[in-house]
């Protein structure tokens, strides 16, 4: 698989877009792909990331958006991206999320801007609901859920609101993604089976860099950092940092990590 970072900054970044990742099955132009989180302005974020990388991500090949949680730096682009699907592509946007995230998605996040549409000037507004815009696919903590050629597993993290870490596999390689979380050794253990691990690091109810830097070196070799504050010194980090528009291969390890 191939991971394309589209946004790697935190909610307050003046230098980078908010967290957003694209994962595609292989490098062919028509390869199926998924989007992890959906900040605004998603179409611009996609355009710039694809231009920098030279990678084309046709929306026709998008298998779905996988949403980790409802904080705006991860979910603020859902309305406009969904409207693009509804008006331009004339189809619903496939959305994969845990039921605890789904519970607040409409009334707590989208309804104010999307609950009615004017069919025409002077017509009565049409009442709209979540199912008019989205194909909803609930994620499960008990078993993987199919998303095109991918299988998606999830696990709750330690954060302000319901948030879920991810493991995504195409049957060969596996990507692990911490989502937003305080440092959690049990979550690290859950992610450790992945071939590539994307882990956040920030202040507050997030993961301190020092805790990740203290992990065994073989594990750190397979880890890349995201959700970093602008002042973070990327050059001095002992863990690689994701960069927008710079693709990263997700390949199967040929042997277990050695200490």
């Amino acid at each position: 698989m191939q991971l394309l970072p589209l946004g790697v900054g935190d909610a307050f970044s003046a230098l980078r877009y908010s967290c957003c990742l694209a994962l595609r099955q292989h490098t062919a132009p028509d390869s199926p792909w998924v989007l992890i989180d959906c900040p605004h302005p998603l179409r611009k974020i996609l355009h710039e990331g694809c231009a920098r990388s030279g990678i084309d991500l046709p929306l026709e090949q998008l298998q779905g958006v996988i949403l980790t949680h409802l904080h705006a730096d991860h979910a603020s682009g859902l309305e406009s991206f969904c409207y693009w699907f509804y008006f331009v592509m004339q189809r619903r946007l496939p959305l994969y999320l845990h039921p605890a995230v789904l519970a607040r998605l409409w009334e707590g996040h989208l309804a104010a801007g999307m609950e009615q549409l004017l069919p025409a000037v002077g017509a009565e507004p049409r009442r709209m609901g979540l199912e008019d815009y989205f194909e909803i696919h609930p994620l499960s903590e008990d078993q993987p859920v199919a998303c095109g050629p991918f299988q998606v597993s999830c696990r709750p993290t330690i954060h302000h609101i319901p948030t879920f870490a991810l493991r995504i596999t195409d049957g060969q390689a596996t990507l692990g993604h911490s989502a937003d979380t305080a440092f959690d050794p049990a979550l690290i253990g859950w992610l450790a089976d992945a071939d590539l691990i994307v882990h956040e690091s920030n202040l507050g109810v997030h993961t301190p860099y020092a805790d990740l830097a203290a992990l065994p070196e073989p594990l750190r070799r397979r880890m890349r950092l995201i959700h970093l504050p602008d002042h973070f010194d990327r050059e001095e980090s002992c863990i690689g940092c994701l960069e927008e528009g710079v693709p990263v291969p997700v390949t199967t390890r040929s042997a277990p990590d050695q200490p």
Side-chain angles (χ1 to χ4, degrees), residues 150-173:
F150 307 100
Q151 295 287 322
V152 184
S153 302
C154 70
R155 182 190 187 281
T157 75
I158 303 170
H159 201 44
H160 301 283
I161 61 175
T163 304
F164 291 84
L166 305 169
R167 285 193 314 221
I168 306 173
T169 182
D170 66 351
Q172 299 181 14

Side-chain angles (χ1 to χ4, degrees), residues 18-71:
S18 300
C19 286
C20 185
L21 303 170
L23 181 69
R24 65 177 182 169
Q25 191 181 25
H26 48 75
T27 58
D30 60 349
S31 177
W33 62 284
V34 296
L35 189 69
I36 304 173
D37 284 339
C38 188
H40 186 73
L42 194 277
R43 292 270 294 154
K44 186 173 190 291
I45 292 170
L46 268 172
H47 172 75
E48 292 185 8
C50 290
R52 289 176 190 148
S53 65
I55 292 173
D56 186 26
L57 295 175
L59 289 182
E60 293 77 12
Q61 299 300 321
L62 175 66
Q63 303 298 298
V65 175
I66 305 172
L67 195 65
T68 63
H69 67 298
L70 291 178
H71 276 155

